[in-house]
């Protein structure tokens, strides 16, 4: 058994390392930091709840400026919430932003329902807040009232309790029945106008179009360390390095170029959210929508079979083939599940987790999922793969 730290219960993947040809990397939490994405999500949720163009609850978070939101991000999305998302194999940044906003909104609406039944009854039973008239109607109903984030936290805790056995998109999909059950209202489906509003505002914050510039992408290790690791893997002359991520393509190419890391990866095997959307459009013209974001194995299989028809990646027979020639390295449950469903070896790294959780708990999550190997960071990869002495 090869371990970089005796405290990590790694399973060996070295029995047949000479068969491994592909090393496929997730980005966030593995190479790049997730901080910019989480900060963008926090700013988006804060804006939609507190700013006059939206709900206008200026005191809800007790934060009035973007810089305060970043300095005290626990108010909008705390570390325990992030850990729960990772543990539940929830991946898409835009889905997450919509999801967090909807949970905060559920807490606010439940308080309105209990305190002001007359105002509550005046609201349209179908909440579509991308519609300016309905934003105005809801703002009017909330005007002059004070809402307690702690009460909203209780609503959010109830959601987690009711979804204990769910993973992946099943968790985010449960927001709609949760609204129906506890509020008696119909929330629009994901990718509705409300979802698009979250997406558009997220991108505007991320790209600096809100008059506020977020810090650039950082890396989970010193960038020179990462270059040395990737160079060692390339110099072994045995591996093709690929990327399979939920980021949009421009948010992969630009930061990796700026960091001097892009050249280490096969340019044909960089699979992003752009490829996910293109495949979903191809497969979903007139049928029940197929979601190809992680934990679906699409991005991993696409990195391996660049010219294959995406329809094949959705067949169980193809997914279940044994692919010990490929390793997928990720930091979350969605990465482990995607690796398993693609028949690849799964390696979990601890660099993506929040400081609120003990390392032993993080390791336990990976091992409970059946992850093949758990390492501190990608710095351990050369040893795990047998190209450096342990």
């Amino acid at each position: 058994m090869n371990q970089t730290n005796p405290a990590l219960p790694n399973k060996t993947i070295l029995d047949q390392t000479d068969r491994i040809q592909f090393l496929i990397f997730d980005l966030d939490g593995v190479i790049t930091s997730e901080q910019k994405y989480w900060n963008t999500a926090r700013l988006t949720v804060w804006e939609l709840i507190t700013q006059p163009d939206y709900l206008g609850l200026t005191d809800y978070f007790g934060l009035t400026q973007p810089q305060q939101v970043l300095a005290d991000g626990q108010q909008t999305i705390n570390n325990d919430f992030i850990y729960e998302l990772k543990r539940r194999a929830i991946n898409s940044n835009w889905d997450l932003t919509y999801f967090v906003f909807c949970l905060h909104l559920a807490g606010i609406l439940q308080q309105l329902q209990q305190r002001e039944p007359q105002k509550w009854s005046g609201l349209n039973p179908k909440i579509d807040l991308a519609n300016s008239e309905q934003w105005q109607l809801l703002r009017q109903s909330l005007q002059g009232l004070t809402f307690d984030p702690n009460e909203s936290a209780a609503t959010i805790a109830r959601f987690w309790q009711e979804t204990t056995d769910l993973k992946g998109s099943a968790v985010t999909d449960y927001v709609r029945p949760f609204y129906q059950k506890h509020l008696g209202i119909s929330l629009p489906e994901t990718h509705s106008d409300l979802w698009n509003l979250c997406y558009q505002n997220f991108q505007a914050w991320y790209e600096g179009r809100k008059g506020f510039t977020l810090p650039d992408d950082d890396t989970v290790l010193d960038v020179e360390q990462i270059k040395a690791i990737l160079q060692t893997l390339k110099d072994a002359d045995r591996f093709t390095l690929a990327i399979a991520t939920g980021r949009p393509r421009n948010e992969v190419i630009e930061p990796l170029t700026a960091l001097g890391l892009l050249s280490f990866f096969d340019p044909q095997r960089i699979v992003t959210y752009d490829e996910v959307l293109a495949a979903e459009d191809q497969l979903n013209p007139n049928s029940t929508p197929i979601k190809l974001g992680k934990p679906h194995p699409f991005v991993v299989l696409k990195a391996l079979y660049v010219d294959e028809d995406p329809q094949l990646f959705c067949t169980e027979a193809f997914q279940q083939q044994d692919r010990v020639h490929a390793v997928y390295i990720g930091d979350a449950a969605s990465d482990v599940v995607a690796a398993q469903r693609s028949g690849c070896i799964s390696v979990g790294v601890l660099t993506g987790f929040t400081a609120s959780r003990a390392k032993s708990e993080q390791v336990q999550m990976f091992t409970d999922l059946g992850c093949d190997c758990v390492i501190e960071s990608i710095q351990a990869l050369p040893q795990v793969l047998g190209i450096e002495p342990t």
Side-chain angles (χ1 to χ4, degrees), residues 12 22 47 51 57 71 95 114 139 167 170 181 200 218 220 229 257 259 280 286 311 321 335-336 363 377 387-388:
T12 182
F22 294 95
E47 178 186 31
Q51 296 306 290
L57 301 179
D95 284 350
Q114 293 165 355
R139 276 201 306 271
K167 299 280 187 189
K181 177 179 178 181
Q200 290 161 6
D218 201 358
V220 296
I229 295 158
T257 300
L259 292 165
E280 288 178 345
N286 298 303
Q311 185 69 55
Q321 293 178 24
D335 302 315
V336 177
V363 172
S377 72
I387 59 176
E388 281 189 355

Side-chain angles (χ1 to χ4, degrees), residues 13 20 323-329 339 343-347 372-373:
I13 61 171
I20 296 174
R323 296 182 174 87
V324 295
H325 65 293
V327 176
Y328 187 44
I329 304 116
C344 298
I345 295 167
S346 59
V347 172
D372 294 306
C373 180

Side-chain angles (χ1 to χ4, degrees), residues 113 120 200 253 364:
Q113 184 184 52
W120 172 254
Q200 290 161 6
I253 303 301
Q364 191 63 52

Side-chain angles (χ1 to χ4, degrees), residues 3 33 48 144 174 180 182-183 206 209 231 250 262 347 380:
Q3 299 181 179
S33 167
L48 294 178
Y174 187 75
Q180 193 67 55
H182 294 287
L183 297 167
Y206 189 88
R209 291 185 279 112
Q231 190 64 58
N250 68 307
L262 186 65
V347 172

Side-chain angles (χ1 to χ4, degrees), residues 170-182:
V171 181
T172 50
D173 288 346
Y174 187 75
V175 169
R176 296 185 74 235
F178 184 80
Y179 263 67
Q180 193 67 55
K181 177 179 178 181
H182 294 287

Side-chain angles (χ1 to χ4, degrees), residues 1-153:
M1 181 178 293
N2 287 271
Q3 299 181 179
T4 60
N5 183 329
L8 305 184
N10 295 339
K11 297 179 182 179
T12 182
I13 61 171
L14 291 178
D15 293 339
Q16 299 179 18
T17 51
D18 57 329
R19 296 177 61 186
I20 296 174
Q21 302 171 28
F22 294 95
L23 301 177
I24 307 169
F25 293 80
D26 184 27
L27 273 189
D28 291 317
V30 178
I31 292 175
T32 51
S33 167
E34 297 176 297
Q35 194 62 45
K36 185 174 181 178
Y37 273 100
W38 286 117
N39 281 339
T40 306
R42 287 170 171 135
L43 287 167
T44 305
V45 171
W46 167 78
E47 178 186 31
L48 294 178
I49 291 176
T50 68
Q51 296 306 290
D53 287 344
Y54 303 104
L55 294 187
L57 301 179
T58 55
D59 297 327
Y60 182 73
F61 292 117
L63 308 169
T64 60
Q65 299 297 324
Q67 197 57 53
Q68 291 178 300
V69 177
L70 301 195
D72 195 5
Q74 300 301 301
Q75 295 277 41
T76 45
I77 306 176
N78 65 37
N79 286 341
D80 286 341
F81 196 102
I82 294 173
Y83 178 80
E84 194 66 24
L85 293 169
K86 284 178 168 291
R87 190 178 72 83
R88 299 292 195 90
I90 304 169
N91 186 62
S92 166
N93 293 301
W94 303 305
D95 284 350
L96 294 182
T97 304
Y98 173 74
F99 174 67
V100 175
F101 170 71
C102 286
L103 289 185
H104 275 294
L105 180 60
I108 292 166
L109 293 178
Q110 193 152 63
Q111 292 177 62
L112 178 66
Q113 184 184 52
Q114 293 165 355
R115 297 177 190 173
E116 302 284 343
Q118 196 167 20
K119 286 187 175 183
W120 172 254
S121 63
L123 287 174
N124 191 320
K126 183 177 176 65
I127 301 292
D128 185 358
L129 299 180
N131 180 302
S132 59
E133 291 182 2
Q134 292 204 20
W135 274 113
Q136 186 174 354
L137 178 63
L138 184 54
R139 276 201 306 271
Q140 290 171 353
S141 299
L142 302 178
Q143 191 171 6
L145 301 177
T146 300
F147 296 91
D148 185 354
N150 291 323
E151 292 188 38
S152 296

Side-chain angles (χ1 to χ4, degrees), residues 168-200:
S169 61
V171 181
T172 50
D173 288 346
Y174 187 75
V175 169
R176 296 185 74 235
F178 184 80
Y179 263 67
Q180 193 67 55
K181 177 179 178 181
H182 294 287
L183 297 167
I185 59 177
S186 177
L187 190 72
E189 295 184 9
T190 303
H191 293 249
S192 65
D193 287 344
L194 180 55
W195 185 94
N196 285 327
L197 180 68
C198 291
Y199 161 74
Q200 290 161 6

